[in-house]
Amino acid sequence: MLQSVIQTHELSYRFADQQVLDKVSLQVNKGSIYGFLGPNGAGKTTTIKVLLNLLRSDDQNVFLFEKEISANRSLVLAQIGSLVEQPAIYGHLSGRENLKARAILLKVKDDRISAILDLVALSAHADKKAKNYSLGMKQRLGIGLALLHDPELLILDEPTNGLDPNGIIEIRKLLMRLTSEEGKTVFVSSHLLGEIERMATHVGIINKGKLVFQGTIGELQQLSNEQVIIETNDLVEAANTLLAGGYPADITEEYVTVPFTDAEQMGAMNTLLVNSGSTVYSIRKTKKDLEQLFLSLTQPL
């Protein structure tokens, strides 16, 4: 049986007269990378602050490590590392000194500092002042600070925000390594949909405070309708030919599209078009990527 690390039961939250979260029920299991997606203002950061008990739910419906957080705050938070917004880094200190200062507060042994520097790939820059770090290095140092006390759960709010492609790849590889090699569970919010698709095992999509999807990456992709994309010399003529043959064809700016059934269907349509005089440049199967699915799930409610 999978162990629950994060669980909320119909979590709702209001600011004055604004409903920010509306019956959000999250399920995050041990060892997963859970990508939390949503447009700006959807409720992602509010959810994270409730999970970290920075904002409190009066309904006692937030459970971390199967313990209600309000009644077990110290015990639960001791098992969590977090990075919300910008990492709290002292620019005049080196990366090693930043970790040392945090280690003293947390009563963590010095040998953990070297292990963290190695884990976040900063050993070669350990004695360089943090103010001279690139943005990606600062983010990795921030994650290192969050990992210093060896938490079971890492909660990150937009950790790749503002990074260049190399920085994004570095963070992605780090998070994947934390789950595969270190056994951590990662809950990460992001607006970079392609990145979530590449690294997450599970996804939750929130829109206007409501959780509109939750499941594995595979389950999300299964929501897409596979289509046959046909490139031909005359889109209108090809579409009419297919319609006459019983295929529900549609036209985009560049292609004729037909809902995919199987490989035999594709072959039959290709034969029909060629026999009717159409020139078929290409015919292939495709489906919506995560971004298109995200957009379809976050249309105005």
Side-chain angles (χ1 to χ4, degrees):
M1 183 176 179
L2 294 174
Q3 180 183 346
S4 173
V5 175
I6 297 174
Q7 194 171 41
T8 65
H9 300 295
E10 296 192 345
L11 172 65
S12 296
Y13 199 88
R14 297 180 67 89
F15 287 121
D17 59 348
Q18 182 184 4
Q19 188 76 41
V20 183
L21 301 177
D22 188 2
K23 298 181 179 179
V24 174
S25 295
L26 296 174
Q27 179 68 47
V28 180
N29 294 322
K30 182 177 176 60
S32 63
I33 299 180
Y34 188 103
F36 195 46
L37 297 170
N40 291 335
K44 300 190 301 296
T45 299
T46 298
T47 301
I48 285 176
K49 288 183 176 179
V50 172
L51 293 177
L52 294 172
N53 210 225
L54 299 172
L55 298 173
R56 298 194 179 188
S57 170
D58 296 328
D59 296 328
Q60 296 188 328
N61 53 2
V62 179
F63 296 82
L64 286 94
F65 308 102
E66 301 180 347
K67 296 178 176 65
E68 195 277 318
I69 190 169
S70 296
N72 302 276
R73 187 175 190 273
S74 297
L75 180 63
V76 166
L77 293 181
Q79 301 176 74
I80 301 174
S82 64
L83 178 58
V84 181
E85 298 173 351
Q86 297 299 317
I89 292 173
Y90 297 106
H92 65 288
L93 299 181
S94 68
R96 190 189 307 277
E97 289 167 339
N98 269 277
L99 288 165
K100 175 67 174 178
R102 181 71 62 88
I104 292 171
L105 289 174
L106 297 175
K107 299 180 180 178
V108 173
K109 293 181 179 179
D110 283 353
D111 56 1
R112 179 68 178 162
I113 295 173
S114 295
I116 289 295
L117 287 167
D118 191 39
L119 181 63
V120 299
L122 285 176
S123 295
H125 307 281
D127 299 311
K128 181 178 179 179
K129 289 191 182 299
K131 67 181 179 182
N132 297 322
Y133 279 8
S134 68
L135 185 55
M137 292 166 65
K138 288 178 180 176
Q139 289 296 92
R140 297 206 310 278
L141 178 58
I143 293 173
L145 290 166
L147 289 168
L148 193 58
H149 62 296
D150 198 20
E152 293 185 39
L153 169 65
L154 194 61
I155 297 180
L156 307 173
D157 190 13
E158 300 276 5
T160 57
N161 197 20
L163 299 187
D164 61 22
N166 285 335
I168 291 171
I169 291 170
E170 289 170 352
I171 297 296
R172 182 210 310 161
K173 290 181 176 178
L174 172 59
L175 298 185
M176 294 175 73
R177 191 164 68 250
L178 288 174
T179 56
S180 64
E181 298 178 11
E182 302 290 322
K184 306 299 183 188
T185 303
V186 177
F187 182 93
V188 52
S189 77
S190 179
H191 66 280
L192 297 175
L193 312 176
E195 273 308 297
I196 292 298
E197 188 174 24
R198 290 183 182 95
M199 70 178 173
T201 59
H202 296 74
V203 175
I205 298 178
I206 190 170
N207 185 38
K208 295 187 177 180
K210 291 181 178 291
L211 195 65
V212 296
F213 174 83
Q214 182 170 235
T216 66
I217 282 285
E219 289 169 339
L220 178 60
Q221 291 173 336
Q222 286 174 10
L223 293 178
S224 68
N225 297 317
E226 292 184 315
Q227 291 185 316
V228 178
I229 303 296
I230 304 167
E231 186 179 10
T232 182
N233 62 319
D234 190 327
L235 297 180
V236 174
E237 181 63 29
N240 288 335
T241 298
L242 292 170
L243 286 168
Y247 298 102
D250 197 4
I251 298 176
T252 67
E253 291 184 2
E254 299 179 349
Y255 307 108
V256 175
T257 64
V258 179
F260 173 78
T261 303
D262 51 35
E264 287 74 15
Q265 171 218 29
M266 292 178 63
M269 288 191 297
N270 186 52
T271 299
L272 177 61
L273 290 171
V274 171
N275 288 342
S276 69
S278 294
T279 300
V280 177
Y281 301 133
S282 68
I283 180 168
R284 65 186 186 276
K285 181 180 70 172
T286 188
K287 61 182 178 180
K288 295 178 183 176
D289 61 18
L290 184 55
E291 182 172 3
Q292 291 171 309
L293 284 170
F294 173 78
L295 291 172
S296 68
L297 288 168
T298 55
Q299 294 302 310
L301 298 173

